[in-house]
Amino acid sequence: MIVELGHYALVLTFALTLIQSTVPLWGAVREDDRLMAIAPPVSIAMFFLVLISFAALTIAYVTSDFSVVNVWENSHSAKPMLFKITGVWGNHEGSLLLWVLILVFFGALVAYFGSNMPSPLRAATLAVQGWVTAGFVLFMLATSNPFNRIPSAPIEGNDLNPILQDIGLAIHPPLLYVGYVGFSITFSFAVAALILGRIDAAWARWVRPWTLLAWAFLTLGIAMGSYWAYYELGWGGWWFWDPVENASFMPWLAGTALLHSAIVMEKRDALKVWTVLLAIFTFSLSLLGTFLVRSGVLTSVHAFATDPARGVFILVLLCLFIGGSLSLYAWRAPLLKQGGLFSPISREGALVLNNLFLSAATAAVLVGTLYPLALDAITGEKISVGEPFFNLTFGPLMVPLLMAIPFGPVLAWKRGDLLAAAERLYAGFGIAILAVLFTFWLWGMERVLAPIGVGLGVWVMAGAICEIWTRVKPREVGLKRAFERLKGLPGAAWGTATAHFGVGVTVLGIVTASAFQDEYVQTMKPGDTVNLSGYAVTFDGVAPRRGANFIEDVGHFTVRQSGVVIAEMEPSKRLYTARQFPTTEAGIHTVGFSQIYLSMGEGRPNGAIDVRVYFKPLVTLIWIGCVIMAIGAVFSMADRRLRVGAPKPSAKRSPQPSATPAE
């Protein structure tokens, strides 16, 4: 009965999406308050209906109701309770239901917290959100119903994919989906504004918090997925340019450009057309990622195994949402008035430069991801585009971007002074040069580019500190007054500096872990020792162990430094009995910001095993930097200026700075 209730709630949700996507929009166009007032309560009702549906599926998993096809295919009675719950979104149907839940949750948030927005914009935004929700709910009911029953219920289930039975996969998809789906709100704002013909600085002020929220969660989701692959798959790497990894990275790059463009639009009423286009493209890339993961066009450890019918349905949704929004953009954008002018050497100019490099980087990743798929579809030829391509295309675009990042916040709006900005950053530049020289001294001249990469990371970090320093001016006003200024800085200033600092931290971790890691791959017998980077790793032997739903052979390794035992590590080879599926569990020991990484291979008849041992200097900075970036987004969202309402134009200026000529 609970399962049927969940299915019925989905059907009611679809019926409500038809109301939400039409009636409020008609009211917004006609400026009918009664019709527009329908949108908020319908949005909130849809959220509660989908929440009931999600709860019903969760109960089916918790109680091991194998009469439900989805539960039978992805669960097992012996599975730990945590993974019974996370199994709800560890499959195509359940993860799609989570996607829809987050989609209607964002709509409910706009309905509840958007009371300070103009009624036509809120109604039109919720109507567009209703279009997106209707498409995905229809997709679920037609091809991916999570509540289908089995006439004769099996006694036991098939178990969840073993590599998904991990705490990282309990966290990674929800974070990633909040990021993916969060950009649907910016998309809805953009399409609604195009329909109404009103895009101005106030619009940018309303869009920016939602963009920040989505961007922060997408950052954390990508970081969590990267760390999960790093420790769970046993490959020893943190990024592989996998097509599905790229599918989440592309909207992150576009979303980063959107954030910076929205700032220019809010502060200077400029870049309107570009900002709207980025809002459309960012969510379009999220939809493209959905297509790649769920269509069956590629094979990946991250992808869901699906049938072609689902891929065709998603492709139709892609054409409708992306094609429709771009057609609307082509029609309405030329009618919008342009905003304020600015000099190329200004803060606006720096943000435009940032957008150009981020857009080019997104295009490079998009080409590298889609070209093999297009070539296979057209000619049948199979090729792979991997690290060499992305290093040669993506890497060179990042170098000038990283060099330019510290200049943007210290340049003046409208017309800046590049020499004055450089003077404010001279201390940061000096610290970066010292970092380059220290890296050469520490690791030698064998890798010339790596110390430059270290210098770039330090340069971005130091630039963020210099930005705060120049704002408070302690040398000019004294420490007491500087401290008062520090406390009075707006949240956006702290957010910008913190996020940029996090970028530098991540770059530093990427360069050092990639360029200076030590790696040994060899066969070891009990008693053998490997020496790397000042650590001695001794293989003591292998012992069997049994878990709740798996058996494993656990390797025991002792790590010594200067003859003193500092750690005992236990990598393993697991076999999940229900599916007879083997996995590799890496052993990781953290030393400061660095890590010793152990991965076991195949065993030998004489008790020896193949072992892969790494020392990865400063590798944890990769993920620490991502967390710092997300904290920066939180600081920016806490800026009181985003809570007191949008800026209003001066009485001396036109009250509708971006209205169409027809208005």
Side-chain angles (χ1 to χ4, degrees):
M1 182 62 186
I2 293 178
V3 171
E4 282 68 31
L5 177 63
H7 182 239
Y8 184 60
L10 275 184
V11 174
L12 283 180
T13 301
F14 179 70
L16 288 180
T17 62
L18 300 180
I19 297 173
Q20 186 192 21
S21 59
T22 53
V23 176
L25 183 60
W26 180 249
V29 173
R30 297 285 301 273
E31 296 188 359
D32 188 323
D33 291 334
R34 293 174 300 173
L35 297 181
M36 290 189 289
I38 292 175
V42 170
S43 298
I44 294 172
M46 285 166 51
F47 166 66
F48 282 108
L49 284 172
V50 179
L51 184 63
I52 290 171
S53 184
F54 189 82
L57 184 61
T58 303
I59 291 171
Y61 268 86
V62 169
T63 59
S64 295
D65 185 356
F66 298 124
S67 67
V68 180
V69 176
N70 185 258
V71 179
W72 170 69
E73 290 178 342
N74 300 284
S75 192
H76 192 276
S77 60
K79 192 168 62 173
M81 181 57 69
L82 172 63
F83 301 135
K84 285 184 178 181
I85 295 173
T86 60
V88 175
W89 55 80
N91 58 88
H92 167 71
E93 293 83 1
S95 65
L96 188 60
L97 183 57
L98 176 63
W99 174 287
V100 173
L101 176 64
I102 298 172
L103 192 65
V104 295
F105 177 64
F106 271 94
L109 288 178
V110 172
Y112 187 79
F113 292 106
S115 58
N116 64 333
M117 293 169 52
S119 296
L121 179 60
R122 180 169 67 159
T125 299
L126 291 175
V128 176
Q129 193 77 356
W131 299 348
V132 179
T133 306
F136 277 94
V137 174
L138 181 61
F139 173 48
M140 195 182 328
L141 291 173
T143 70
S144 309
N145 190 346
F147 299 106
N148 286 336
R149 290 277 197 181
I150 302 175
S152 300
I155 298 176
E156 193 52 84
N158 291 335
D159 204 5
L160 179 66
N161 186 337
I163 64 172
L164 303 181
Q165 296 187 38
D166 182 83
I167 186 63
L169 262 294
I171 303 171
H172 166 58
L175 291 176
L176 200 65
Y177 287 1
V178 172
Y180 268 157
V181 181
F183 285 123
S184 69
I185 286 294
T186 62
F187 171 84
S188 298
F189 268 107
V191 173
L194 286 172
I195 292 172
L196 299 176
R198 295 184 60 89
I199 301 175
D200 50 22
W203 178 88
R205 176 71 62 90
W206 287 309
V207 165
R208 197 150 68 92
W210 301 103
T211 307
L212 282 166
L213 180 64
W215 184 86
F217 274 95
L218 187 58
T219 302
L220 294 175
I222 292 172
M224 186 68 253
S226 167
Y227 193 65
W228 166 79
Y230 169 74
Y231 72 77
E232 176 65 23
L233 300 182
W235 296 343
W238 57 273
W239 193 261
F240 306 96
W241 293 109
D242 179 280
V244 182
E245 289 179 328
N246 296 346
S248 60
F249 191 42
M250 287 186 289
W252 185 88
L253 290 170
T256 305
L258 172 60
L259 274 178
H260 292 84
S261 185
I263 292 173
V264 177
M265 185 173 169
E266 178 187 339
K267 299 295 185 183
R268 298 284 303 136
D269 200 25
L271 302 185
K272 300 174 184 177
V273 175
W274 178 240
T275 304
V276 172
L277 183 61
L278 280 174
I280 292 173
F281 272 149
T282 301
F283 184 59
S284 297
L285 290 170
S286 295
L287 293 177
L288 177 63
T290 304
F291 172 73
L292 292 175
V293 172
R294 301 175 189 275
S295 64
V297 300
L298 55 84
T299 302
S300 166
V301 296
H302 308 82
F304 295 105
T306 57
D307 59 75
R310 292 171 176 171
V312 171
F313 201 111
I314 299 176
L315 191 59
V316 171
L317 290 180
L318 276 175
C319 294
L320 288 175
F321 292 136
I322 299 176
S325 60
L326 290 179
S327 298
L328 178 64
Y329 174 83
W331 173 45
R332 299 290 280 175
L335 303 178
L336 299 174
K337 291 183 179 180
Q338 297 300 315
L341 301 177
F342 53 86
S343 168
I345 305 299
S346 62
R347 189 175 300 186
E348 297 98 320
L351 292 172
V352 169
L353 182 68
N354 163 87
N355 274 5
L356 289 176
F357 280 113
L358 285 172
S359 300
T362 305
V365 178
L366 182 64
V367 170
T369 303
L370 296 186
Y371 177 71
L373 303 177
L375 188 65
D376 183 21
I378 296 171
T379 67
E381 182 181 354
K382 295 186 180 297
I383 65 169
S384 63
V385 175
E387 186 175 352
F389 169 83
F390 292 106
N391 288 345
L392 290 174
T393 55
F394 183 83
L397 291 170
M398 289 297 101
V399 172
L401 176 61
L402 293 172
M403 293 176 64
I405 283 176
F407 282 96
V410 298
L411 284 169
W413 292 103
K414 193 174 181 179
R415 186 178 300 277
D417 186 338
L418 190 60
L419 181 60
E423 290 176 353
R424 295 188 184 105
L425 295 170
Y426 74 90
F429 185 74
I431 294 172
I433 293 296
L434 290 176
V436 172
L437 296 176
F438 177 75
T439 307
F440 273 121
W441 174 79
L442 193 63
W443 274 292
M445 303 290 293
E446 296 180 4
R447 303 175 179 90
V448 178
L449 295 179
I452 297 175
V454 170
L456 282 173
V458 173
W459 161 245
V460 176
M461 294 163 62
I465 297 173
C466 289
E467 177 192 346
I468 298 297
W469 181 272
T470 56
R471 283 177 175 271
V472 299
K473 301 178 180 179
R475 289 184 178 179
E476 299 178 14
V477 302
L479 290 179
K480 183 178 179 181
R481 177 62 178 158
F483 184 70
E484 293 175 355
R485 286 187 173 186
L486 197 66
K487 293 192 297 182
L489 284 179
W494 281 111
T496 299
T498 303
H500 287 175
F501 188 88
V503 171
V505 171
T506 294
V507 169
L508 184 60
I510 290 172
V511 172
T512 53
S514 302
F516 302 120
Q517 73 173 12
D518 281 346
E519 177 184 1
Y520 287 86
V521 181
Q522 64 184 60
T523 301
M524 299 181 69
K525 295 183 294 186
D528 287 352
T529 298
V530 167
N531 294 288
L532 77 166
S533 300
Y535 298 94
V537 182
T538 303
F539 174 45
D540 300 318
V542 177
R545 189 165 61 190
R546 178 175 292 275
N549 59 338
F550 61 85
I551 57 175
E552 62 180 342
D553 291 325
V554 181
H556 188 274
F557 294 80
T558 303
V559 182
R560 294 178 174 84
Q561 185 178 32
S562 301
V564 179
V565 176
I566 63 169
E568 293 184 353
M569 302 175 64
E570 294 187 339
S572 67
K573 298 287 289 185
R574 286 185 181 176
L575 179 67
Y576 285 79
T577 54
R579 291 200 179 196
Q580 292 295 298
F581 192 103
T583 65
T584 299
E585 305 294 321
I588 299 175
H589 176 66
T590 302
V591 183
F593 294 116
S594 305
Q595 288 185 335
I596 301 170
Y597 184 103
L598 277 170
S599 178
M600 289 172 50
E602 298 301 319
R604 305 292 182 179
N606 60 355
I609 57 170
D610 297 331
V611 178
R612 190 182 295 266
V613 189
Y614 299 91
F615 178 74
K616 297 177 174 290
L618 305 184
V619 68
T620 59
L621 293 184
I622 296 172
W623 304 292
I624 291 173
C626 292
V627 174
I628 294 173
M629 287 184 237
I631 292 173
V634 173
F635 284 158
S636 292
M637 283 188 286
D639 194 318
R640 63 178 299 274
R641 292 173 295 182
L642 296 181
R643 301 193 301 271
V644 297
K648 296 182 179 179
S650 170
K652 297 181 181 181
R653 299 175 57 189
S654 171
Q656 297 180 9
S658 64
T660 62
E663 293 179 316

